[in-house]
Amino acid sequence: FIKKLENLQNAKQLKELWMNDNKIDTFDGLNCITSNIIETIYLERNPIQLNDPQKYKQQILSAFPSLIQLDALPLMSRLRANKIESTIQFKDNKDNHNDDNNKSNENDSVSNV
């Protein structure tokens, strides 16, 4: 059984962590996970999850904002929020690009006068 998470700081592209049914009992080792793109964490049936499920969920969600699946529960509201955010960002970038084009066209017409 694994009792502690460690040595994952170089796994920058880590998207999934499956460590269910082990002996992890503290949040201390989670700080070695430095991936900004982690989407799935399974720590079910570890003491960390069994001892205080509500605290466990809050701590994990707070530490990993990119998470869309925690244990067997898909985080649908977070998935929707991430999708909406990326749509808004795409729209904003597109609008900014169009504004830049309009400004460029305005400058062109001024210089042609």
Side-chain angles (χ1 to χ4, degrees), residues 4-103:
K4 179 178 166 182
L5 289 174
E6 57 188 353
N7 300 323
L8 292 173
Q9 58 274 10
N10 292 324
K12 305 278 187 216
Q13 299 299 311
L14 184 67
K15 288 186 106 175
E16 296 189 4
L17 178 69
W18 294 67
M19 300 286 292
N20 45 306
D21 299 304
N22 279 287
K23 301 290 183 192
I24 299 167
D25 64 356
T26 179
F27 292 99
D28 294 342
L30 292 175
N31 61 0
C32 75
I33 301 171
T34 58
S35 171
N36 293 327
I37 61 170
I38 191 161
E39 295 178 348
T40 302
I41 294 179
Y42 271 80
L43 292 171
E44 284 180 308
R45 295 178 301 276
N46 277 280
I48 192 175
Q49 185 258 337
L50 296 171
N51 292 340
D52 189 345
Q54 190 60 35
K55 179 181 177 188
Y56 160 75
K57 185 175 181 180
Q58 289 172 343
Q59 290 280 116
I60 298 292
L61 293 179
S62 174
F64 303 102
S66 60
L67 212 61
I68 58 174
Q69 174 112 18
L70 177 58
D71 302 324
L73 304 171
L75 305 169
M76 295 308 290
S77 60
R78 183 160 300 189
L79 179 60
R80 282 191 212 105
N82 288 343
K83 207 175 223 182
I84 289 168
E85 183 178 319
S86 65
T87 302
I88 290 169
Q89 287 174 354
F90 175 74
K91 184 178 181 335
D92 286 347
N93 289 340
K94 188 176 174 185
D95 288 347
N96 289 340
H97 181 70
N98 286 340
D99 288 346
D100 291 343
N101 283 345
N102 290 340
K103 286 177 186 172

